[in-house]
Every structure is written in structure tokens, then in C-alpha cells.
Amino acid sequence: MEYKVIKKLNKKQVKNLHKLYKNEWWSKDRSKKEIKKMLKHTDIVIGVVNKKGKLIAFARVLSDFVFKAEIYDVIVDKKYRGLGLGELLVKKIIKHKKLKDIKQFNLQCLNEVEPFYKKFGFKRVDNLLYMRRG
């Protein structure tokens, strides 16, 4: 399969991202307006496009570029799952030149995908309480 890694989304790819989000329970209510604002304020974007330029996988990072980097929205189009694109996204983030000095990468995931992230050295932190407002 031919694909290309990108660091910025064009207008068409933002629409593709909106469609990807619509297919997931955790992101289905995100509007195009919110997505555009989110992208504007995201430190690092990693996308994968097919040979036609369609966004088929995506992840993003917020960071202080010293102590912590928070990984968000690791998503692969259902038609392209099982091809290693999720692994590609995580590897690109971990090895990103702007994140080379990061002391701690964090992410949130469901129990069922914990084994996927363990391959990259992530581990469950049992003494932390996940909290949310809103």
C-alpha cells in the first residue's frame, strides 16, 4: 500500500478527519469548527494519507517540549486497520525531533488497547486517578 506521512492537514484532509471522528464513539460529536480550532492549537500533528491524498490515520500531541507530551486522538480509518498505521503514528510521535527531550509521554486508552501501547513502553499507572471536569 502506498501512503505518505504528513505534518499538516489541508482543507480536504480536515474534512477527512471530521469523517474519521464521526465513526468513533469518543469523537462523534466533534464539529468541523471545533476540529479547525483544535488543529490550530495542537503542537504536533501526524497524519497518514493514501496515494490520493485522503487522510486515513491521525494522531496529535500537546507538549511543553521538556517534561511531558500528551498523545491524543490516535485514529485509523476502519478500512485501513491492521496495516500497521497505528504503530507508524506512535513511532513517529515517540521519535519526533521536537519531542526528543521529553521525559514522559502520556495517553488515555481503553483497557482493550492497552497491549497495543505496551509494545511502545507505555504502562498502566495504578496509583493515578483519572479525573474529568465537563
Side-chain angles (χ1 to χ4, degrees):
M1 181 191 143
E2 290 183 47
Y3 57 85
K4 179 181 170 184
V5 176
I6 59 173
K7 297 178 183 177
K8 187 174 182 179
L9 306 185
N10 63 30
K11 287 182 182 182
K12 186 177 179 183
Q13 292 158 347
V14 173
K15 288 180 184 178
N16 297 150
L17 179 59
H18 184 243
K19 287 180 183 176
L20 287 175
Y21 282 154
K22 287 289 181 197
N23 290 322
E24 302 299 331
W25 65 270
W26 51 270
S27 57
K28 64 181 168 70
D29 296 327
R30 295 180 182 183
S31 71
K32 287 180 190 172
K33 183 179 178 182
E34 290 171 323
I35 293 167
K36 288 177 186 176
K37 184 176 180 181
M38 173 269 297
L39 288 169
K40 184 179 177 183
H41 297 286
T42 294
D43 296 313
I44 294 174
V45 166
I46 306 286
V48 179
V49 296
N50 66 13
K51 62 184 175 184
K52 295 181 180 180
K54 179 184 177 188
L55 184 73
I56 58 173
F58 176 83
R60 64 190 184 99
V61 179
L62 298 178
S63 181
D64 59 20
F65 299 102
V66 178
F67 300 108
K68 295 186 186 251
E70 299 285 333
I71 301 171
Y72 293 100
D73 299 348
V74 177
I75 186 169
V76 177
D77 186 315
K78 290 180 182 180
K79 296 176 198 167
Y80 295 90
R81 291 183 184 168
L83 301 174
L85 298 179
E87 289 184 21
L88 175 66
L89 290 170
V90 176
K91 286 178 183 176
K92 289 287 184 182
I93 289 169
I94 292 170
K95 294 179 179 184
H96 196 285
K97 64 182 179 181
K98 288 185 177 180
L99 301 173
K100 66 179 174 46
D101 296 325
I102 293 297
K103 299 191 183 336
Q104 185 179 86
F105 286 90
N106 297 312
L107 58 81
Q108 301 166 30
C109 68
L110 294 174
N111 289 332
E112 62 219 38
V113 293
E114 183 180 0
F116 171 80
Y117 290 107
K118 279 187 171 184
K119 294 186 290 189
F120 304 101
F122 287 89
K123 58 185 175 183
R124 182 181 293 258
V125 183
D126 292 327
N127 62 339
L128 292 180
L129 174 64
Y130 176 72
M131 299 178 72
R132 176 182 286 163
R133 180 177 180 263

